Amino acid sequence: MAARIDFHTHIIPVDLPDFSQKYGGERWPTLQPTCSCGANIMVGGKLFREITDQCWDPQKRIADMIAEGVDMQVLSPIPVTFSYWAPSEAAEAMARLQNDFIADTVRQYPDRFIGLGTVPLQDVESSIREMDRCIHQLGLKGIEIGSNINGQNLDDPAFLPFFEMCEKWDVPLFVHPWETLGRERMPRHNFMYTVGMPSETALAAASLVGGGVIEKFPNLRVCFAHGGGSFPYILPRLDQGWNVWPHLRVTERPPSHYTQNFYFDSLNYEPLNIRLLIERFGHEKIVMGTDYPFLLRELPPGKVIDETPGLTEEQKVAMLGGNALRFLKV
């Protein structure tokens, strides 16, 4: 039976301090307990999200994993904690707190969890310093970053030294959407989650290939949340734009040429979409991911892979767990 490794899960320290007391500012996330098994994430005095103790209690997570047939989870921070908006010293302190918590959780349960860290990308020097600590001291296996940093796309020249060090140290990146474009138009129907996030992820991926980042750092390894959002479907359109607007080109080849080291989690809910990912990028580039423990998560884990017709057993084994281990070099 194939090992199931859930690449896309989120965790947060239950004792998250109120950073506004030390650093000021109203956008720091805090946890407001609602009961012994739940809390509200509050931002600026307003409810951001209701969560359960599955978000912070490893024992609860392990119980769910056993019940749902998951062998290991890859732990990453909740994007609202990125805090790219904050002064770099404060954001680095938030990153360090979370990275220490994730590393400690992995140390306690090394057969159940693999950890990803976070860095304060609004300050590249601080980000490189914290990435160094994450990888070479804490033993984390990669870094989760947001799809933009204070409205700047990932191909902004300011971030090139960070990507250069990611390639040099062979650090895999997990790109997760946050602060989505057009979010002011999406409060109804929770469109921010269903429309905004896939669009935001596509913009992040397009920036890396169309903006020349991957051309500069061809060994950079990147995994995109939510099946890459709409990126897999608009890639031919990106190529067509490259073809018809030569005066806008910053790369020698069209965008599709630079996707060889792109990975995608399987969280797109639809076997037809999994088939497209396989045909466009190869089954070796798909990792099982569920967005545990949030409402939009896939349940049972790996359902969309299990239900995709025509897969060989080798392909299923790779996508359900083997590809994640290879991507993270575990």
Side-chain angles (χ1 to χ4, degrees):
M1 190 175 186
R4 294 189 180 235
I5 298 172
D6 189 347
F7 185 89
H8 184 168
T9 81
H10 296 294
I11 196 167
I12 191 170
V14 68
D15 56 351
L16 187 70
D18 184 351
F19 272 55
S20 65
Q21 295 180 359
K22 181 175 181 180
Y23 297 104
E26 297 181 350
R27 296 179 61 184
W28 296 108
T30 58
L31 292 189
Q32 181 184 83
T34 55
C35 61
S36 61
C37 59
N40 291 332
I41 299 179
M42 306 296 292
V43 176
K46 297 181 180 179
L47 175 65
F48 174 77
R49 170 177 274 167
E50 298 176 359
I51 61 174
T52 66
D53 55 357
Q54 295 159 308
C55 276
W56 62 76
D57 186 341
Q59 292 288 350
K60 285 291 185 71
R61 300 175 79 98
I62 291 171
D64 285 346
M65 293 163 67
I66 292 170
E68 297 168 7
V70 173
D71 297 285
M72 297 190 78
Q73 286 184 347
V74 179
L75 308 177
S76 58
I78 301 174
V80 71
T81 64
F82 286 156
S83 305
Y84 295 150
W85 57 271
S88 59
E89 176 190 359
E92 185 173 3
M94 171 66 86
R96 289 176 67 93
L97 181 146
Q98 294 191 91
N99 295 335
D100 289 343
F101 169 67
I102 290 173
D104 184 61
T105 304
V106 172
R107 278 193 295 269
Q108 290 182 61
Y109 307 96
D111 58 335
R112 286 295 188 181
F113 300 122
I114 301 167
L116 304 181
T118 180
V119 296
L121 261 178
Q122 66 269 54
D123 185 320
V124 168
E125 183 178 342
S126 299
S127 292
I128 293 171
R129 179 170 61 242
E130 183 58 15
M131 178 168 63
D132 186 8
R133 194 179 76 94
C134 283
I135 303 302
H136 301 127
Q137 296 182 33
L138 298 181
L140 301 179
K141 298 303 182 181
I143 299 294
E144 179 191 37
I145 67 172
S147 50
N148 72 86
I149 293 82
N150 298 326
Q152 298 299 311
N153 289 332
L154 296 181
D155 61 338
D156 190 283
F159 308 127
L160 291 179
F162 172 76
F163 292 125
E164 180 181 14
M165 294 309 297
C166 289
E167 184 185 57
K168 179 179 179 179
W169 290 337
D170 196 19
V171 177
L173 297 175
F174 179 41
V175 176
H176 195 293
W178 95 300
E179 293 287 325
T180 62
L181 72 168
R183 59 189 178 278
E184 68 280 355
R185 296 169 56 200
M186 300 189 187
R188 294 179 66 190
H189 316 297
N190 272 344
F191 277 160
M192 187 189 79
Y193 294 98
T194 56
V195 179
M197 285 191 169
S199 303
E200 180 70 24
T201 304
L203 181 56
S207 297
L208 290 175
V209 293
V213 177
I214 302 301
E215 186 175 67
K216 289 182 176 69
F217 310 115
N219 295 315
L220 193 66
R221 293 181 295 123
V222 188
C223 181
F224 296 93
H226 310 144
S230 54
F231 176 73
Y233 318 103
I234 67 169
L235 186 55
R237 188 175 180 88
L238 291 170
D239 280 358
Q240 181 68 358
W242 186 90
N243 287 326
V244 303
W245 294 313
H247 63 290
L248 298 179
R249 295 175 189 168
V250 298
T251 60
E252 291 190 9
R253 302 284 188 91
S256 60
H257 178 77
Y258 301 100
T259 62
Q260 63 270 20
N261 289 328
F262 279 6
Y263 288 70
F264 307 87
D265 76 18
S266 62
L267 190 62
N268 58 27
Y269 314 104
E270 171 55 57
L272 281 174
N273 294 346
I274 294 293
R275 292 299 324 177
L276 177 59
L277 284 174
I278 292 172
E279 292 172 12
R280 187 146 285 166
F281 305 104
H283 79 272
E284 305 91 346
K285 301 302 176 63
I286 302 171
V287 298
M288 192 265 280
T290 70
D291 215 351
Y292 176 96
F294 298 136
L295 284 176
L296 283 177
R297 74 180 180 115
E298 179 184 75
L299 192 65
K303 178 177 184 285
V304 72
I305 294 173
D306 292 333
E307 294 181 351
T308 298
L311 296 181
T312 67
E313 189 62 26
E314 178 187 9
Q315 288 175 320
K316 286 186 177 181
V317 167
M319 291 189 287
L320 289 171
N323 293 341
L325 295 178
R326 180 166 50 85
F327 177 73
L328 297 172
K329 295 198 170 181
V330 176

